[in-house]
Amino acid sequence: QSVLTQPPSVSGAPGQRVTVSCTGTISNIGAGYGVHWYQQLPGTAPRLLIYDNDNRPSGVPDRFSGSKSGTSASLAITGLQADDEADYYCQSFDSRVRGPVFGGGTKLTVL
Amino acid sequence: EVQLLQSGGGLVQPGGSLRLSCAASGFRFTNYAMAWVRQAPGKGLEWVSSISGSGTSTYYADSVKGRFTVSRDNSNNTLLLLMSSLRAEDTAIYYCAKSGASGTLFSHGDYWGQGTPVTVSS
């Protein structure tokens, strides 16, 4: 059971917008710790997509955006493309665990 | 260019030990905390351990506390994970990751190693 809660799957047609939610508690997201998002293609290492809630590393398309409110955060992907099909993970810091915590991951299917 | 090149891993019997290495290049190694993150077959990401840039502060997930030891050799830009008393549930791909922010605590992984598989089985 993951500390952060994500939906197991989301889907959308090419060109559409999808969002992935990430729900935490007062010991992690609600405590003000940043939320980070990763994309993982099959058989590869995670790739950082969003850091500190809403910042994109260089090289990440602006189709990807992040937001945070209270004890939850969201990743939005606009203009869905076939190669966006992957697993997406949120991550924050937890004061009780005293370390990083991850969501269970969300599989994005592009229809 | 930042690179994290992992080595070690493999097949080990329950109760055995294994050492993982992560050779870093392309950044000032001592300035950043590092972490180990694992992924069991078909499962999500799980934080295992973190270490501060100086190596003086270490942190562990409850699932590995007392069995795993993280360390770093800052003179050779290498991160290490010594795993002992291994169990079947430790079977996973292990990734090393560089913190994206300076500071004692690992923030987020802006660069990741290629991953190395660890299988614990008799």
Side-chain angles (χ1 to χ4, degrees):
Chain A
Q1 187 129 354
S2 302
V3 175
L4 306 180
T5 301
Q6 297 181 234
S9 63
V10 296
S11 62
Q16 283 190 333
R17 177 182 187 270
V18 296
T19 61
V20 181
S21 62
C22 175
T23 303
T25 66
I26 58 173
S27 65
N28 41 69
I29 298 176
Y33 295 110
V35 179
H36 323 291
W37 291 91
Y38 304 91
Q39 177 193 61
Q40 187 178 35
L41 299 170
T44 70
R47 168 200 180 197
L48 181 66
L49 279 183
I50 299 290
Y51 66 97
D52 292 343
N53 308 323
D54 56 7
N55 295 280
R56 272 187 313 275
S58 60
V60 174
D62 60 6
R63 301 187 299 105
F64 296 90
S65 63
S67 63
K68 172 188 163 181
S69 178
T71 58
S72 296
S74 287
L75 171 71
I77 309 172
T78 59
L80 212 54
Q81 299 177 0
D83 56 7
D84 293 333
E85 196 161 278
D87 293 324
Y88 292 83
Y89 294 90
C90 61
Q91 179 242 309
S92 187
F93 183 89
D94 191 283
S95 58
R96 283 186 287 189
V97 171
R98 292 175 59 81
V101 289
F102 289 91
T106 298
K107 182 175 183 60
L108 168 63
T109 301
V110 180
L111 302 171
Chain B
E1 179 194 4
V2 173
Q3 287 193 330
L4 299 174
L5 187 60
Q6 297 182 228
S7 60
L11 175 64
V12 62
Q13 292 188 339
S17 299
L18 212 53
R19 190 180 85 158
L20 305 184
S21 297
C22 174
S25 61
F27 65 100
R28 188 178 285 273
F29 188 60
T30 55
N31 281 9
Y32 295 92
M34 300 289 292
W36 290 97
V37 175
R38 69 185 180 184
Q39 187 168 35
K43 302 296 185 183
L45 301 173
E46 178 191 15
W47 169 69
V48 173
S49 180
S50 305
I51 185 168
S52 62
S54 65
T56 54
S57 299
T58 57
Y59 309 89
Y60 300 92
D62 285 346
S63 57
V64 306
K65 202 171 294 183
R67 301 187 298 122
F68 289 14
T69 302
V70 64
S71 61
R72 61 194 296 161
D73 179 352
N74 284 347
S75 62
N76 287 305
N77 292 354
T78 301
L79 174 71
L80 302 166
L81 184 68
L82 177 61
M83 306 182 292
S84 59
S85 301
L86 282 162
R87 307 166 180 165
E89 53 264 36
D90 295 317
T91 295
I93 294 176
Y94 285 72
Y95 296 100
C96 62
K98 167 188 170 293
S99 182
S102 58
T104 300
L105 296 174
F106 181 86
S107 171
H108 57 278
D110 62 348
Y111 290 93
W112 295 66
Q114 81 277 19
T116 188
V118 171
T119 302
V120 183
S121 174
S122 55

